[in-house]
Amino acid sequence: MQLPAQAVATTALIELVGISVLSAKRGAPYPGEVVTHWAGSEAADALTLIETLPGSEEHRIGF
């Protein structure tokens, strides 16, 4: 999965949110609670793993 290089280089924190409801409206926010967060090297490691995922037309991960 391709991620924007500038976004990867400048990311300091990733919050994982457990989505509680799927919106019926396209582009609407997904409500949910923060499950955990990754900061610093954990965030960088997570993005490295995400970049190794194969690309597809279906959404694998919502950002």
Side-chain angles (χ1 to χ4, degrees), residues 1-4 14-19 22 30 38 43 45-63:
M1 171 179 284
Q2 288 187 309
L3 299 174
I14 298 174
E15 289 185 331
L16 276 59
V17 176
I19 297 171
L22 292 178
Y30 293 100
W38 299 322
D45 292 346
L47 291 173
T48 299
L49 289 173
I50 291 167
E51 286 182 312
T52 65
L53 294 171
S56 72
E57 293 180 17
E58 297 296 318
H59 295 296
R60 289 187 192 275
I61 302 170
F63 290 100

Side-chain angles (χ1 to χ4, degrees), residues 10-37:
T10 58
T11 297
L13 175 71
I14 298 174
E15 289 185 331
L16 276 59
V17 176
I19 297 171
S20 56
V21 177
L22 292 178
S23 175
K25 201 173 186 184
R26 186 179 183 125
Y30 293 100
E33 293 185 34
V34 174
V35 177
T36 191
H37 67 272

